[in-house]
Amino acid sequence: MITRFTFVALYLALASGFSIASPDVTSFDSTRAFEHDFYVQSNLEFTLLHELAHAVIELNDIPVLGGQEQAADQIALMLLIMADDSHNKDINPVVLNKLLAISGEWMIEWKNEKKDHQPVYWDTHPLAIQRFYEVTCLIYGSNPDKLESLRKESMLPVERAWDCDIEFEQTRRALAWLVTKVSDYKFNKSWKLIKSKDSKQLFSGRIKVVWIQPNNQEDQRIYTKLKTFNHLASVLTKLNDLLNLKNYITIYLEPFCRTPDAWWDGTKNNITVCYDLIKDFEKNSLLLPDLVKQLKSGIRN
Ligand SMILES: [Zn+2]
């Protein structure tokens, strides 16, 4: 179990962002990670990529070692990191803020898990706090020289940080292999995505989104907000260009689940994302800065 001291140190590290960072990232401003809509959109993007990773694994019979939940997390995170090639030379502040928003969400969820009930150790998903370190390690591993501050600020203990570049390399290689199995593309030597064959016309499947009309004012607000997230629409367009899908995958944005969850249903080729999950992201985006302020002023409960 994580100690209270470590827990507080991690929050403070998250809060201070890169304020005492190495010279490489002094200009990086981490406050955007906790901007309300950016935070919600980043976590929703991660959720969609995670569920789509399940879909791609199952629909293509991809063999998985190490558990499908962890594989789905790693595919989603690596797609976010590889969305541009800046990890080769510099830090992309938008991607970095996105990953901080995602790791921040895991930290808050861990706190809620511990407060509300015993963490579920038998679950197929890693614990929220493990997912926090998983995200942080992949970010750090993508560019350890420039992101030395993550390690220095105790977001990542040295024992884990040590091998994060290897973890990143292994995950990137696995993603590169996966891309050759499920698309006409491959990564070249400088990790740019290039077209390597021309078989898209054989695959009629696409990802489509079904908007379920809400029936109350609060859900209508969420519906309207989600419709403004143009970035997510462009991510889905890019994935439709990239992936060779035999089947249609339908994403339902669902106001009536009554649980803060999202899941892939392989029997129907559906992904459901509940409005309650979006509401949780909204609540947590507000919770994190306050919590950090409390911790900074010495109030720890
Ligand atoms: Zn999952």
Side-chain angles (χ1 to χ4, degrees), residues 195-240:
K195 201 161 187 177
S196 62
K197 48 188 193 243
D198 204 3
S199 64
K200 183 86 177 167
Q201 71 280 1
L202 302 174
F203 297 88
S204 56
R206 294 286 179 273
I207 304 163
K208 62 172 186 161
V209 178
V210 172
W211 297 87
I212 298 170
Q213 189 69 43
N215 64 3
N216 67 57
Q217 215 177 358
E218 170 62 358
D219 288 343
Q220 185 63 42
R221 182 187 65 75
I222 303 272
Y223 175 86
T224 310
K225 180 202 278 265
L226 292 177
K227 287 262 186 182
T228 67
F229 286 171
N230 295 328
H231 172 71
L232 290 181
S234 80
V235 168
L236 294 179
T237 304
K238 277 185 198 155
L239 285 173
N240 268 327

Short mmCIF file of all heavy atoms in Angstrom, two decimals, residues 195-240:
data_model
loop_
_atom_site.label_atom_id
_atom_site.label_comp_id
_atom_site.label_asym_id
_atom_site.label_seq_id
_atom_site.Cartn_x
_atom_site.Cartn_y
_atom_site.Cartn_z
N LYS A 195 2.23 4.40 -45.66
CA LYS A 195 1.39 3.38 -46.27
C LYS A 195 2.27 2.28 -46.87
O LYS A 195 3.25 2.58 -47.56
CB LYS A 195 0.53 4.02 -47.37
CG LYS A 195 -0.69 3.21 -47.71
CD LYS A 195 -1.74 4.05 -48.42
CE LYS A 195 -2.99 3.22 -48.57
NZ LYS A 195 -4.07 3.95 -49.18
N SER A 196 1.94 1.01 -46.59
CA SER A 196 2.80 -0.07 -47.09
C SER A 196 2.04 -1.06 -47.97
O SER A 196 2.64 -1.91 -48.61
CB SER A 196 3.43 -0.82 -45.92
OG SER A 196 2.44 -1.40 -45.12
N LYS A 197 0.71 -0.99 -47.99
CA LYS A 197 -0.07 -1.83 -48.91
C LYS A 197 -1.40 -1.13 -49.22
O LYS A 197 -1.64 -0.02 -48.70
CB LYS A 197 -0.28 -3.24 -48.34
CG LYS A 197 -0.75 -3.31 -46.92
CD LYS A 197 -0.71 -4.76 -46.45
CE LYS A 197 -1.46 -4.89 -45.15
NZ LYS A 197 -0.96 -5.24 -43.98
N ASP A 198 -2.21 -1.76 -50.04
CA ASP A 198 -3.43 -1.08 -50.50
C ASP A 198 -4.61 -2.04 -50.49
O ASP A 198 -5.05 -2.50 -51.54
CB ASP A 198 -3.17 -0.53 -51.92
CG ASP A 198 -4.08 0.63 -52.22
OD1 ASP A 198 -4.85 1.04 -51.32
OD2 ASP A 198 -4.04 1.14 -53.35
N SER A 199 -5.10 -2.37 -49.29
CA SER A 199 -6.17 -3.38 -49.23
C SER A 199 -7.44 -2.84 -48.56
O SER A 199 -8.35 -3.60 -48.25
CB SER A 199 -5.66 -4.60 -48.45
OG SER A 199 -5.37 -4.26 -47.11
N LYS A 200 -7.47 -1.54 -48.35
CA LYS A 200 -8.60 -0.93 -47.62
C LYS A 200 -9.97 -1.28 -48.23
O LYS A 200 -10.94 -1.47 -47.50
CB LYS A 200 -8.40 0.60 -47.60
CG LYS A 200 -9.43 1.38 -46.82
CD LYS A 200 -9.10 1.48 -45.35
CE LYS A 200 -10.10 2.32 -44.60
NZ LYS A 200 -9.97 2.19 -43.16
N GLN A 201 -10.00 -1.39 -49.56
CA GLN A 201 -11.30 -1.64 -50.21
C GLN A 201 -11.89 -3.01 -49.84
O GLN A 201 -13.08 -3.25 -50.02
CB GLN A 201 -11.19 -1.48 -51.75
CG GLN A 201 -10.41 -2.54 -52.48
CD GLN A 201 -8.89 -2.35 -52.40
OE1 GLN A 201 -8.40 -1.43 -51.76
NE2 GLN A 201 -8.15 -3.25 -53.04
N LEU A 202 -11.06 -3.90 -49.29
CA LEU A 202 -11.56 -5.22 -48.88
C LEU A 202 -12.27 -5.17 -47.53
O LEU A 202 -12.86 -6.15 -47.10
CB LEU A 202 -10.39 -6.22 -48.79
CG LEU A 202 -9.56 -6.43 -50.06
CD1 LEU A 202 -8.37 -7.33 -49.78
CD2 LEU A 202 -10.44 -7.04 -51.16
N PHE A 203 -12.15 -4.04 -46.85
CA PHE A 203 -12.70 -3.94 -45.50
C PHE A 203 -13.80 -2.88 -45.46
O PHE A 203 -13.53 -1.69 -45.65
CB PHE A 203 -11.59 -3.57 -44.51
CG PHE A 203 -10.51 -4.61 -44.43
CD1 PHE A 203 -9.42 -4.58 -45.30
CD2 PHE A 203 -10.60 -5.64 -43.50
CE1 PHE A 203 -8.44 -5.56 -45.24
CE2 PHE A 203 -9.62 -6.62 -43.44
CZ PHE A 203 -8.53 -6.58 -44.31
N SER A 204 -15.02 -3.33 -45.21
CA SER A 204 -16.14 -2.39 -45.28
C SER A 204 -16.53 -1.83 -43.90
O SER A 204 -17.41 -0.98 -43.80
CB SER A 204 -17.35 -3.06 -45.92
OG SER A 204 -17.66 -4.23 -45.18
N GLY A 205 -15.89 -2.33 -42.84
CA GLY A 205 -16.25 -1.88 -41.49
C GLY A 205 -15.79 -0.46 -41.20
O GLY A 205 -14.79 0.01 -41.76
N ARG A 206 -16.53 0.23 -40.38
CA ARG A 206 -16.18 1.60 -39.95
C ARG A 206 -16.57 1.77 -38.49
O ARG A 206 -17.37 1.00 -37.96
CB ARG A 206 -16.93 2.66 -40.77
CG ARG A 206 -16.57 2.73 -42.24
CD ARG A 206 -15.19 3.37 -42.48
NE ARG A 206 -14.86 3.42 -43.90
CZ ARG A 206 -14.27 2.43 -44.56
NH1 ARG A 206 -13.95 1.31 -43.95
NH2 ARG A 206 -13.99 2.54 -45.85
N ILE A 207 -16.00 2.81 -37.88
CA ILE A 207 -16.45 3.17 -36.54
C ILE A 207 -17.52 4.25 -36.70
O ILE A 207 -17.28 5.24 -37.41
CB ILE A 207 -15.29 3.76 -35.70
CG1 ILE A 207 -14.12 2.79 -35.64
CG2 ILE A 207 -15.76 4.13 -34.30
CD1 ILE A 207 -12.81 3.43 -35.21
N LYS A 208 -18.68 4.04 -36.11
CA LYS A 208 -19.68 5.11 -36.19
C LYS A 208 -20.19 5.44 -34.78
O LYS A 208 -20.10 4.61 -33.86
CB LYS A 208 -20.83 4.75 -37.12
CG LYS A 208 -21.61 3.54 -36.70
CD LYS A 208 -22.85 3.37 -37.56
CE LYS A 208 -23.68 2.24 -37.00
NZ LYS A 208 -25.04 2.20 -37.41
N VAL A 209 -20.69 6.64 -34.65
CA VAL A 209 -21.16 7.11 -33.33
C VAL A 209 -22.67 7.27 -33.37
O VAL A 209 -23.21 7.84 -34.32
CB VAL A 209 -20.50 8.46 -32.96
CG1 VAL A 209 -21.01 8.97 -31.61
CG2 VAL A 209 -18.98 8.33 -32.93
N VAL A 210 -23.34 6.74 -32.36
CA VAL A 210 -24.79 6.95 -32.23
C VAL A 210 -25.04 7.81 -30.99
O VAL A 210 -24.59 7.47 -29.89
CB VAL A 210 -25.54 5.60 -32.10
CG1 VAL A 210 -27.01 5.83 -31.77
CG2 VAL A 210 -25.42 4.80 -33.39
N TRP A 211 -25.67 8.93 -31.22
CA TRP A 211 -25.98 9.85 -30.11
C TRP A 211 -27.38 9.54 -29.60
O TRP A 211 -28.35 9.70 -30.34
CB TRP A 211 -25.94 11.30 -30.60
CG TRP A 211 -24.58 11.72 -31.08
CD1 TRP A 211 -24.09 11.57 -32.33
CD2 TRP A 211 -23.56 12.36 -30.32
NE1 TRP A 211 -22.80 12.06 -32.40
CE2 TRP A 211 -22.46 12.56 -31.17
CE3 TRP A 211 -23.46 12.78 -28.99
CZ2 TRP A 211 -21.27 13.15 -30.76
CZ3 TRP A 211 -22.29 13.37 -28.56
CH2 TRP A 211 -21.21 13.56 -29.43
N ILE A 212 -27.47 9.12 -28.37
CA ILE A 212 -28.79 8.84 -27.81
C ILE A 212 -29.31 10.14 -27.18
O ILE A 212 -28.63 10.74 -26.35
CB ILE A 212 -28.73 7.69 -26.79
CG1 ILE A 212 -28.25 6.43 -27.52
CG2 ILE A 212 -30.09 7.47 -26.13
CD1 ILE A 212 -27.92 5.28 -26.63
N GLN A 213 -30.49 10.53 -27.61
CA GLN A 213 -31.04 11.82 -27.17
C GLN A 213 -31.43 11.75 -25.69
O GLN A 213 -32.19 10.87 -25.29
CB GLN A 213 -32.27 12.14 -28.03
CG GLN A 213 -32.83 13.54 -27.85
CD GLN A 213 -31.89 14.62 -28.39
OE1 GLN A 213 -31.34 14.47 -29.47
NE2 GLN A 213 -31.71 15.69 -27.62
N PRO A 214 -30.88 12.64 -24.87
CA PRO A 214 -31.23 12.60 -23.44
C PRO A 214 -32.63 13.18 -23.18
O PRO A 214 -33.19 13.84 -24.05
CB PRO A 214 -30.17 13.50 -22.81
CG PRO A 214 -29.66 14.36 -23.89
CD PRO A 214 -29.92 13.69 -25.20
N ASN A 215 -33.15 12.90 -21.98
CA ASN A 215 -34.51 13.38 -21.70
C ASN A 215 -34.59 14.31 -20.49
O ASN A 215 -35.64 14.52 -19.94
CB ASN A 215 -35.47 12.21 -21.53
CG ASN A 215 -35.10 11.34 -20.33
OD1 ASN A 215 -34.15 11.67 -19.60
ND2 ASN A 215 -35.84 10.27 -20.10
N ASN A 216 -33.42 14.80 -20.03
CA ASN A 216 -33.50 15.82 -18.99
C ASN A 216 -32.44 16.90 -19.25
O ASN A 216 -31.53 16.71 -20.07
CB ASN A 216 -33.36 15.20 -17.58
CG ASN A 216 -31.98 14.62 -17.34
OD1 ASN A 216 -30.96 15.31 -17.45
ND2 ASN A 216 -31.92 13.34 -17.04
N GLN A 217 -32.57 17.99 -18.50
CA GLN A 217 -31.77 19.17 -18.80
C GLN A 217 -30.27 18.94 -18.58
O GLN A 217 -29.43 19.35 -19.38
CB GLN A 217 -32.25 20.31 -17.89
CG GLN A 217 -32.17 21.65 -18.57
CD GLN A 217 -32.73 22.75 -17.68
OE1 GLN A 217 -33.20 22.49 -16.57
NE2 GLN A 217 -32.65 23.97 -18.15
N GLU A 218 -29.94 18.24 -17.48
CA GLU A 218 -28.54 17.99 -17.14
C GLU A 218 -27.86 17.14 -18.22
O GLU A 218 -26.74 17.42 -18.66
CB GLU A 218 -28.47 17.30 -15.76
CG GLU A 218 -27.12 16.75 -15.34
CD GLU A 218 -26.03 17.82 -15.20
OE1 GLU A 218 -26.28 19.01 -15.47
OE2 GLU A 218 -24.88 17.44 -14.85
N ASP A 219 -28.56 16.09 -18.65
CA ASP A 219 -27.99 15.24 -19.71
C ASP A 219 -27.95 15.97 -21.05
O ASP A 219 -27.07 15.72 -21.87
CB ASP A 219 -28.77 13.93 -19.82
CG ASP A 219 -28.49 13.02 -18.62
OD1 ASP A 219 -27.47 13.27 -17.93
OD2 ASP A 219 -29.27 12.09 -18.37
N GLN A 220 -28.90 16.85 -21.25
CA GLN A 220 -28.91 17.67 -22.48
C GLN A 220 -27.65 18.55 -22.52
O GLN A 220 -27.05 18.75 -23.57
CB GLN A 220 -30.18 18.54 -22.51
CG GLN A 220 -30.36 19.35 -23.78
CD GLN A 220 -30.52 18.49 -25.04
OE1 GLN A 220 -31.23 17.49 -25.01
NE2 GLN A 220 -29.84 18.86 -26.12
N ARG A 221 -27.26 19.05 -21.34
CA ARG A 221 -26.04 19.86 -21.24
C ARG A 221 -24.81 19.04 -21.66
O ARG A 221 -23.96 19.51 -22.42
CB ARG A 221 -25.88 20.37 -19.78
CG ARG A 221 -24.67 21.27 -19.58
CD ARG A 221 -24.46 21.60 -18.11
NE ARG A 221 -24.11 20.44 -17.28
CZ ARG A 221 -22.93 19.86 -17.26
NH1 ARG A 221 -21.95 20.31 -18.02
NH2 ARG A 221 -22.70 18.81 -16.49
N ILE A 222 -24.74 17.79 -21.16
CA ILE A 222 -23.62 16.91 -21.52
C ILE A 222 -23.63 16.64 -23.03
O ILE A 222 -22.60 16.71 -23.70
CB ILE A 222 -23.73 15.55 -20.77
CG1 ILE A 222 -23.80 15.76 -19.26
CG2 ILE A 222 -22.61 14.60 -21.17
CD1 ILE A 222 -22.51 15.83 -18.55
N TYR A 223 -24.82 16.35 -23.54
CA TYR A 223 -24.99 16.06 -24.98
C TYR A 223 -24.45 17.22 -25.81
O TYR A 223 -23.66 17.04 -26.74
CB TYR A 223 -26.50 15.84 -25.22
CG TYR A 223 -26.90 15.64 -26.66
CD1 TYR A 223 -26.87 14.38 -27.25
CD2 TYR A 223 -27.38 16.71 -27.42
CE1 TYR A 223 -27.28 14.19 -28.57
CE2 TYR A 223 -27.80 16.52 -28.74
CZ TYR A 223 -27.74 15.27 -29.30
OH TYR A 223 -28.14 15.08 -30.60
N THR A 224 -24.85 18.45 -25.43
CA THR A 224 -24.42 19.64 -26.17
C THR A 224 -22.91 19.81 -26.07
O THR A 224 -22.24 20.14 -27.05
CB THR A 224 -25.14 20.89 -25.60
OG1 THR A 224 -26.53 20.61 -25.55
CG2 THR A 224 -24.90 22.11 -26.46
N LYS A 225 -22.37 19.57 -24.87
CA LYS A 225 -20.92 19.70 -24.67
C LYS A 225 -20.16 18.69 -25.54
O LYS A 225 -19.21 19.04 -26.23
CB LYS A 225 -20.58 19.48 -23.19
CG LYS A 225 -19.07 19.60 -22.91
CD LYS A 225 -18.67 18.88 -21.64
CE LYS A 225 -18.92 19.69 -20.41
NZ LYS A 225 -17.74 20.45 -19.96
N LEU A 226 -20.60 17.43 -25.50
CA LEU A 226 -19.90 16.39 -26.26
C LEU A 226 -19.89 16.71 -27.76
O LEU A 226 -18.91 16.44 -28.45
CB LEU A 226 -20.55 15.02 -26.04
CG LEU A 226 -20.43 14.44 -24.63
CD1 LEU A 226 -21.18 13.11 -24.53
CD2 LEU A 226 -18.96 14.23 -24.24
N LYS A 227 -20.97 17.30 -28.23
CA LYS A 227 -21.07 17.65 -29.65
C LYS A 227 -20.04 18.71 -30.05
O LYS A 227 -19.71 18.85 -31.22
CB LYS A 227 -22.49 18.16 -29.97
CG LYS A 227 -23.54 17.07 -29.98
CD LYS A 227 -23.80 16.60 -31.40
CE LYS A 227 -24.95 15.62 -31.46
NZ LYS A 227 -25.19 15.12 -32.80
N THR A 228 -19.55 19.48 -29.05
CA THR A 228 -18.56 20.53 -29.37
C THR A 228 -17.13 19.97 -29.41
O THR A 228 -16.19 20.68 -29.75
CB THR A 228 -18.58 21.68 -28.34
OG1 THR A 228 -18.11 21.17 -27.08
CG2 THR A 228 -19.95 22.28 -28.19
N PHE A 229 -16.96 18.72 -28.98
CA PHE A 229 -15.61 18.15 -28.92
C PHE A 229 -15.15 17.73 -30.33
O PHE A 229 -15.09 16.54 -30.66
CB PHE A 229 -15.56 16.95 -27.96
CG PHE A 229 -15.61 17.33 -26.50
CD1 PHE A 229 -15.77 16.35 -25.52
CD2 PHE A 229 -15.48 18.65 -26.08
CE1 PHE A 229 -15.81 16.67 -24.17
CE2 PHE A 229 -15.52 18.99 -24.73
CZ PHE A 229 -15.69 17.99 -23.77
N ASN A 230 -14.82 18.72 -31.14
CA ASN A 230 -14.45 18.44 -32.53
C ASN A 230 -13.20 17.57 -32.64
O ASN A 230 -13.06 16.79 -33.58
CB ASN A 230 -14.20 19.75 -33.28
CG ASN A 230 -15.47 20.55 -33.39
OD1 ASN A 230 -16.56 19.98 -33.46
ND2 ASN A 230 -15.36 21.87 -33.36
N HIS A 231 -12.31 17.71 -31.65
CA HIS A 231 -11.08 16.93 -31.71
C HIS A 231 -11.39 15.43 -31.71
O HIS A 231 -10.75 14.66 -32.44
CB HIS A 231 -10.18 17.29 -30.52
CG HIS A 231 -8.99 16.38 -30.41
ND1 HIS A 231 -7.95 16.43 -31.31
CD2 HIS A 231 -8.69 15.38 -29.55
CE1 HIS A 231 -7.06 15.50 -30.99
NE2 HIS A 231 -7.48 14.85 -29.93
N LEU A 232 -12.38 15.03 -30.90
CA LEU A 232 -12.71 13.60 -30.83
C LEU A 232 -13.27 13.11 -32.17
O LEU A 232 -12.95 11.99 -32.60
CB LEU A 232 -13.73 13.34 -29.71
CG LEU A 232 -13.18 13.51 -28.30
CD1 LEU A 232 -14.25 13.21 -27.27
CD2 LEU A 232 -11.98 12.61 -28.07
N ALA A 233 -14.04 13.95 -32.81
CA ALA A 233 -14.57 13.57 -34.14
C ALA A 233 -13.41 13.38 -35.11
O ALA A 233 -13.40 12.43 -35.91
CB ALA A 233 -15.52 14.65 -34.63
N SER A 234 -12.39 14.24 -35.03
CA SER A 234 -11.27 14.10 -35.96
C SER A 234 -10.41 12.87 -35.62
O SER A 234 -9.85 12.24 -36.51
CB SER A 234 -10.42 15.39 -36.01
OG SER A 234 -9.56 15.46 -34.93
N VAL A 235 -10.34 12.51 -34.33
CA VAL A 235 -9.62 11.27 -33.95
C VAL A 235 -10.31 10.06 -34.57
O VAL A 235 -9.65 9.17 -35.13
CB VAL A 235 -9.56 11.12 -32.40
CG1 VAL A 235 -9.09 9.73 -32.00
CG2 VAL A 235 -8.63 12.17 -31.79
N LEU A 236 -11.64 10.04 -34.51
CA LEU A 236 -12.39 8.91 -35.08
C LEU A 236 -12.25 8.86 -36.60
O LEU A 236 -12.12 7.78 -37.18
CB LEU A 236 -13.87 8.97 -34.67
CG LEU A 236 -14.14 8.78 -33.17
CD1 LEU A 236 -15.62 8.88 -32.86
CD2 LEU A 236 -13.60 7.42 -32.67
N THR A 237 -12.22 10.03 -37.24
CA THR A 237 -12.00 10.07 -38.70
C THR A 237 -10.63 9.47 -39.04
O THR A 237 -10.49 8.66 -39.96
CB THR A 237 -12.08 11.53 -39.21
OG1 THR A 237 -13.33 12.06 -38.81
CG2 THR A 237 -11.94 11.60 -40.71
N LYS A 238 -9.60 9.86 -38.26
CA LYS A 238 -8.25 9.34 -38.51
C LYS A 238 -8.21 7.82 -38.30
O LYS A 238 -7.55 7.10 -39.05
CB LYS A 238 -7.25 10.02 -37.56
CG LYS A 238 -6.77 11.36 -38.06
CD LYS A 238 -5.69 11.91 -37.15
CE LYS A 238 -5.52 13.40 -37.39
NZ LYS A 238 -4.98 14.11 -36.24
N LEU A 239 -8.89 7.35 -37.25
CA LEU A 239 -8.89 5.90 -36.99
C LEU A 239 -9.61 5.15 -38.10
O LEU A 239 -9.19 4.06 -38.49
CB LEU A 239 -9.53 5.60 -35.63
CG LEU A 239 -8.67 5.93 -34.41
CD1 LEU A 239 -9.47 5.76 -33.12
CD2 LEU A 239 -7.41 5.05 -34.35
N ASN A 240 -10.67 5.74 -38.63
CA ASN A 240 -11.38 5.10 -39.75
C ASN A 240 -10.48 5.03 -40.98
O ASN A 240 -10.55 4.07 -41.75
CB ASN A 240 -12.68 5.85 -40.07
CG ASN A 240 -13.85 5.26 -39.31
OD1 ASN A 240 -13.91 4.06 -39.05
ND2 ASN A 240 -14.79 6.11 -38.92
#
